[in-house]
């Protein structure tokens, strides 16, 4: 058993359970819409964790590391992302989304988009053994450029998945406060992509050539 990988899966599940609890604190209860979402949200973490563990437990172990030699900008952006995406947005959803709303087209679209983001994330983590939580040049792990799977379409597919999640959470929890937090999370991810991409071009052999081959960072045919 890879202890580090198991600890990371448990931590991820705990973070999602806390997010669900914060929604409950804000709302006072779960309705059908929120109940379905949080059940899928927690189950997706468990299933994807098991899938990745079976093929690539070392990636999960490395993702569990918090204190690394990543740049200061990464530590700041990662902290903001963690607080907003795992906790603040769900508390805001609980406080501001009226309970008992019907399951409509927007909700169904949000759930579909969410599952697409999960699939992209899992595929990227299965493909890229260097996909740590922090952004750094992994000279200690002999990092190489990954160009297969979703990395043949965009250079940062997990960040693309986060942008999809931002759209999904706004569809599932339709309030102005959730929209503002989702936009803030998207801005953090865009800044992080920009800075990480520049770092990799300067420090990771072969990445400059890869960026010419795969031109888009986050959104195919756009950016």
């Amino acid at each position: 058993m890879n202890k580090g990988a198991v600890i990371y899966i448990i931590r991820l599940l705990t973070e999602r359970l806390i997010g669900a609890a914060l929604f409950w604190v804000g709302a006072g209860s779960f309705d059908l819409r929120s109940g379905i979402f949080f059940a899928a949200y927690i189950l997706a973490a468990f299933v994807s964790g098991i899938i990745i563990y079976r093929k690539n437990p070392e990636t999960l172990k490395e993702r569990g590391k918090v204190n690394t030699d990543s740049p200061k900008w990464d530590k700041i952006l990662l902290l903001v992302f963690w607080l907003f995406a795992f906790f603040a947005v769900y508390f805001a959803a609980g406080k501001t989304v009226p309970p008992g709303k019907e399951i409509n087209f927007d909700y169904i679209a949000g759930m579909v988009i969410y599952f697409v983001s999960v699939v992209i994330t899992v595929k990227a983590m299965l493909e890229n053994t260097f996909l740590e939580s922090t952004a750094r040049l992994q000279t200690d792990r002999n990092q190489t450029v990954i160009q297969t799977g979703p990395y043949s379409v965009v250079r940062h597919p997990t960040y693309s998945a986060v942008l999809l999640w931002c759209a999904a959470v706004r569809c599932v929890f339709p309030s102005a406060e959730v929209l503002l937090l989702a936009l803030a999370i998207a801005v953090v991810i865009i800044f992080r992509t920009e800075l990480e991409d520049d770092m990799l071009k300067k420090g990771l052999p072969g990445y400059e050539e890869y960026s010419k081959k795969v031109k888009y960072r986050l959104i195919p045919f756009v950016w």
Side-chain angles (χ1 to χ4, degrees):
M1 181 178 71
N2 190 312
K3 184 178 178 180
V6 172
I7 290 173
Y8 175 75
I9 293 173
I10 293 172
R11 191 184 83 189
L12 187 61
L13 288 169
T14 302
E15 289 169 345
R16 296 196 177 197
L17 286 168
I18 292 172
L22 286 171
F23 176 92
W24 183 84
V25 169
S29 64
F30 293 104
D31 59 10
L32 181 62
R33 290 167 56 102
S34 59
I36 292 173
F37 174 81
F38 283 111
Y41 180 60
I42 295 166
L43 183 62
F46 178 75
V47 173
S48 59
I50 295 301
I51 291 171
I52 297 164
Y53 182 88
R54 288 170 63 90
K55 182 177 179 180
N56 197 4
E58 198 63 24
T59 297
L60 295 178
K61 176 185 174 182
E62 294 299 323
R63 285 185 69 80
K65 293 181 179 179
V66 177
N67 296 317
T68 70
D69 57 351
S70 63
K72 186 176 181 179
W73 56 259
D74 180 62
K75 291 180 170 66
I76 294 171
L77 292 176
L78 188 59
L79 177 62
V80 173
F81 169 77
W82 182 70
L83 291 173
F84 280 20
F86 282 92
F87 310 118
V89 72
Y90 296 122
F91 179 72
K95 290 288 288 185
T96 61
V97 177
K101 288 177 68 65
E102 64 180 9
I103 294 178
N104 55 16
F105 175 81
D106 286 350
Y107 178 86
I108 295 171
M111 292 300 295
V112 171
I113 294 169
Y114 171 67
F115 282 116
V116 170
S117 74
V118 171
V119 170
I120 292 172
T121 301
V122 171
K123 284 185 173 295
M125 291 183 69
L126 289 174
E127 205 72 35
N128 186 1
T129 58
F130 303 105
L131 190 55
E132 295 184 357
S133 297
T134 58
R136 69 187 187 98
L137 295 171
Q138 300 172 39
T139 53
D140 54 319
R141 299 183 64 203
N142 298 316
Q143 183 180 12
T144 58
V145 179
I146 305 300
Q147 306 184 42
T148 53
Y151 291 91
S152 65
V153 181
V154 292
R155 302 202 293 273
H156 301 275
T158 53
Y159 296 165
S160 301
V162 172
L163 295 186
L164 288 174
W165 171 86
C166 288
V169 78
R170 172 59 180 85
C171 290
V172 171
F173 302 112
S175 77
E177 290 81 359
V178 171
L179 174 61
L180 287 174
L181 281 166
L183 288 174
I185 294 165
V187 168
V188 168
I189 288 301
I190 289 169
F191 270 117
R192 196 180 188 213
T193 302
E194 178 80 28
L195 293 169
E196 184 174 344
D197 211 61
D198 288 346
M199 178 186 70
L200 292 172
K201 285 180 179 178
K202 295 174 182 176
L204 180 59
Y207 192 86
E208 180 73 41
E209 292 74 15
Y210 165 64
S211 68
K212 294 175 182 177
K213 178 182 176 183
V214 178
K215 298 179 180 180
Y216 304 104
R217 296 176 180 177
L218 289 173
I219 307 172
F221 310 112
V222 178
W223 184 69

